[in-house]
Amino acid sequence: MTARMTLSPAGVAELELVLAGGLGATAYASEGDGGRLRATEPVESGAVELLDQEGTPLATVEVDGGTSSGEWLVGSVSQLRPFGHQLHRERRIGAQTSRVERAVVVLGDLPGEEDPRWESLSDRPLVLLDTGHHAEALSRDVRHALASGHDVRVLPAPDPALRSAEEWRDAVAAAARALVADEIEVWDTERAVGDGLVILLTGLSGSGKSTIAKLLAERLGEVDDRTVTLLDGDEVRLILSSKLGFSREDRLMNVRRIGWVAALIAEHGGIAVCAPIAPYAEMRAEMRERAENVGRFMLVHVSTPLEVCEARDRKGLYAKARAGEIPQFTGISDPYEEPTDADLAIDASVVSPEDAVDQIVAALPR
């Protein structure tokens, strides 16, 4: 049976650069040049199928030897289908038919028109980076550069999770030299973060997070000019995730979908209040990363003790879980990984919902 591994959005971009020859040899490598991917579980010698987060096969890596979890996959890569920039002509890697001698790579947003670097740009193309986020900002920069008469290339950004800031910058420059121009000048600009905000309330079933989330959304609607959207865990499961179960993989996908919608709201300057159980540190970290790429993020741990949540159980879910009628029930037969990075912890067994909202509003990132 072929092993499968799911890539993050940044991992998909990394794969696309590898296949285009933008990161050295067309292989995942453990040292030197080359795209990189860590094995998330032990892999035996043979083909490993790489999937996007919706489960679509993108490519295979032919692994030469066994690989332990956490080690780099090493082997040649074969593409299975077009994806990413290859599907969008206006953003395709190497959209123009020929290489150029010199180009400018912009690491963040385009600088303002008053920036002196524009005077030295001349006819060199601008290479802009698609990080998988900031879609509006990227489209704005592309339109601005084209309207100003400049040639534009768009490259997916290498995965920053695999590199230090300096290594990431070097990888960007190497990809641009491989795919666009022999000589690269780098404009090291900041990528502005918008005013949007994602608030994630996590806690056990019955902890009170849904009640707090609803009151919080109402309060923010009264005191904040931004549009507020409530994404309650139970309601999202009825619509976005109706076909998902409660396995670890399905739980991850459910929270991933909530995080994607929440980040989209934040990218457009709104506030998303989310209240899934979100029991795993992995899923919460992914939501934080996605949100902080476009705005701000706040993690609230509604830390009501298990015995209190169980005593409050109006639906009888805990009793059914104790009796073995509900498998993989968080806190009973499936773990809840308590956050170690919460911005605020509230025990709703000793704090009223109204006071909890007061605490959250007072602690909002400004």
Side-chain angles (χ1 to χ4, degrees):
M1 182 176 178
T2 302
R4 292 187 166 187
M5 203 162 294
T6 300
L7 301 178
S8 67
V12 172
E14 182 94 5
L15 172 63
E16 188 174 7
L17 284 173
V18 170
L19 289 166
L23 290 175
T26 307
Y28 281 104
S30 57
E31 298 178 352
D33 290 337
R36 293 183 283 181
L37 175 72
R38 284 194 186 276
T40 55
E41 58 188 47
V43 175
E44 297 180 357
S45 179
V48 179
E49 198 169 55
L50 305 179
L51 315 176
D52 66 15
Q53 293 194 321
E54 292 299 324
T56 304
L58 304 178
T60 58
V61 182
E62 194 66 35
V63 179
D64 297 328
T67 302
S68 301
S69 178
E71 293 183 349
W72 301 118
L73 284 178
V74 183
S76 59
V77 183
S78 300
Q79 186 168 354
L80 298 177
R81 62 182 293 274
F83 62 94
H85 296 74
Q86 300 169 42
L87 300 178
H88 303 282
R89 181 176 297 276
E90 69 277 11
R91 294 185 180 180
R92 186 180 300 165
I93 294 178
Q96 285 71 16
T97 56
S98 61
R99 290 173 54 84
V100 294
E101 291 184 6
R102 300 185 303 159
V104 170
V105 177
V106 184
L107 296 184
D109 296 332
L110 280 180
E113 294 182 358
E114 71 285 354
D115 193 291
R117 284 174 289 193
W118 285 106
E119 298 178 3
S120 62
L121 181 61
S122 183
D123 60 348
R124 289 176 293 171
L126 287 166
V127 179
L128 306 181
L129 299 179
D130 186 354
T131 62
H133 306 286
H134 303 280
E136 286 191 345
L138 177 61
S139 296
R140 179 200 64 215
D141 283 351
V142 169
R143 291 194 303 269
H144 175 73
L146 291 174
S148 301
H150 300 292
D151 185 12
V152 178
R153 315 285 178 96
V154 179
L155 296 182
D159 188 349
L162 302 176
R163 303 169 173 85
S164 67
E166 183 177 351
E167 289 172 334
W168 181 83
R169 187 182 186 278
D170 291 343
V172 170
R177 278 193 293 269
L179 299 171
V180 180
D182 298 324
E183 181 182 332
I184 294 295
E185 177 184 344
V186 176
W187 290 1
D188 201 348
T189 61
E190 295 292 330
R191 191 173 296 279
V193 173
D195 296 326
L197 171 65
V198 174
I199 304 172
L200 171 60
L201 291 90
T202 175
L204 295 169
S205 177
S207 63
K209 62 187 179 301
S210 293
T211 300
I212 295 170
K214 290 175 183 177
L215 290 175
L216 176 62
E218 292 173 3
R219 175 79 65 82
L220 291 174
E222 296 170 355
V223 302
D224 201 293
D225 293 334
R226 292 171 287 186
T227 300
V228 182
T229 303
L230 175 63
L231 300 172
D232 183 69
D234 290 340
E235 294 178 0
V236 168
R237 271 200 171 268
L238 291 174
I239 302 171
L240 284 180
S241 303
S242 60
K243 295 183 179 180
L244 295 180
F246 291 90
S247 67
R248 183 179 181 90
E249 292 73 20
D250 283 356
R251 288 172 186 265
L252 288 168
M253 181 58 72
N254 178 52
V255 174
R256 182 172 291 139
R257 289 175 179 175
I258 293 173
W260 184 85
V261 174
L264 195 62
I265 292 167
E267 185 175 2
H268 289 82
I271 300 176
V273 179
C274 312
I277 293 174
Y280 309 132
E282 174 187 355
M283 59 175 53
R284 297 190 297 262
E286 183 179 310
M287 184 182 285
R288 179 187 288 276
E289 179 183 1
R290 191 181 293 274
E292 289 182 342
N293 272 314
V294 296
R296 293 175 174 81
F297 180 82
M298 182 179 186
L299 177 61
V300 179
H301 179 203
V302 183
S303 59
T304 309
L306 174 62
E307 58 271 19
V308 176
C309 297
E310 198 164 354
R312 288 176 172 178
D313 186 19
R314 296 189 299 271
K315 299 178 182 178
L317 299 178
Y318 280 97
K320 291 180 179 179
R322 294 280 187 193
E325 298 175 23
I326 303 178
Q328 297 177 302
F329 189 84
T330 301
I332 304 299
S333 52
D334 202 69
Y336 178 80
E337 300 172 359
E338 292 200 2
T340 58
D341 60 341
D343 300 291
L344 184 65
I346 298 173
D347 182 348
S349 67
V350 296
V351 177
S352 72
E354 292 77 11
D355 288 343
V357 170
D358 288 341
Q359 291 185 30
I360 295 171
V361 171
L364 287 177
R366 307 294 180 184

